[in-house]
Amino acid sequence: MTRRDRATSPSLGAHPAVTGAYTIDPLHSTIGFSVRHAMITNVRGRFDRFEGLLLLDGSDPSRSKAYVSVQTDSLDTGVADRDAHLAGPDFFDSATFPLMAFHSTGITPLGDDEFRLSGGLCIKDVELPLDIDVVFGGSGDDASGHHRVGFAGTATLRRSDWGLAWNTPLDTGGVFIGDKVTLTLDISAVRSEQEAADTAA
């Protein structure tokens, strides 16, 4: 984001009208990830099935909350055999742990439209703290008259901390899969009809 973008994009704290309960729209949102592969490049993927709730306070963003759950067998890296391995016992073990979930515990405004969303990420019954750097993208009504908000976020974690530690050494040195994973979020969320009715009233 450029300095000009920062100056012209809306600030959540300046828009109390965004206050309300929002449901994440999975058709217009992406939860993606990337990880180092064979020590030379990055493999990228996404999760296709997820849901979430945002409780936003536009006047005091620090009071906002977020809840997201993801079906771990919905990952897609573009290679079916790799996806099956990732969903299997060596990694997510989706048959035993079908969901991973994040819930916020606090939000810190960083200035302009940037925030740090702190919370707990639970994978395979292991919950550990995770910070997500979030940029508020704005709000407005869509073509159907639904009020939407948009956010982009990034976070970095070590998969082994959550028990996703499988790996194999390379003959040339190093390991097959990096431990560091980068998460990328592009979220569009729709305010609930009840919230919209209350606002109109």
Side-chain angles (χ1 to χ4, degrees), residues 15-34:
H15 289 267
V18 306
T19 297
Y22 292 77
T23 301
I24 292 176
D25 177 4
L27 296 179
H28 296 92
S29 302
T30 303
I31 297 179
F33 60 88
S34 64

Side-chain angles (χ1 to χ4, degrees), residues 47-123:
F47 293 93
D48 290 331
R49 297 192 301 277
F50 52 88
E51 58 185 14
L53 176 66
L54 308 178
L55 302 177
L56 303 182
D57 188 327
S59 297
D60 184 359
S62 65
R63 298 175 59 185
S64 299
K65 297 180 180 180
Y67 307 88
V68 181
S69 64
V70 178
Q71 296 187 35
T72 55
D73 66 349
S74 72
L75 59 86
D76 182 359
T77 65
V79 179
D81 287 345
R82 180 166 59 206
D83 295 345
H85 187 200
L86 291 172
D90 285 337
F91 289 93
F92 285 104
D93 193 4
S94 298
T96 306
F97 305 99
L99 295 177
M100 64 178 182
F102 174 86
H103 67 93
S104 65
T105 56
I107 297 177
T108 304
L110 301 178
D112 295 330
D113 50 7
E114 299 182 4
F115 303 85
R116 178 153 295 144
L117 180 65
S118 300
L121 175 64
C122 185
I123 304 176

Side-chain angles (χ1 to χ4, degrees), residues 152-163:
T154 58
T156 302
L157 57 87
R158 294 195 177 278
R159 60 186 178 87
S160 59
D161 292 343
W162 280 267

Side-chain angles (χ1 to χ4, degrees), residues 133-166:
D133 289 335
V134 175
V135 178
F136 175 56
S139 65
D141 294 338
D142 62 19
S144 300
H146 299 127
H147 193 73
R148 289 179 178 266
V149 293
F151 295 91
T154 58
T156 302
L157 57 87
R158 294 195 177 278
R159 60 186 178 87
S160 59
D161 292 343
W162 280 267
L164 282 68
W166 183 91

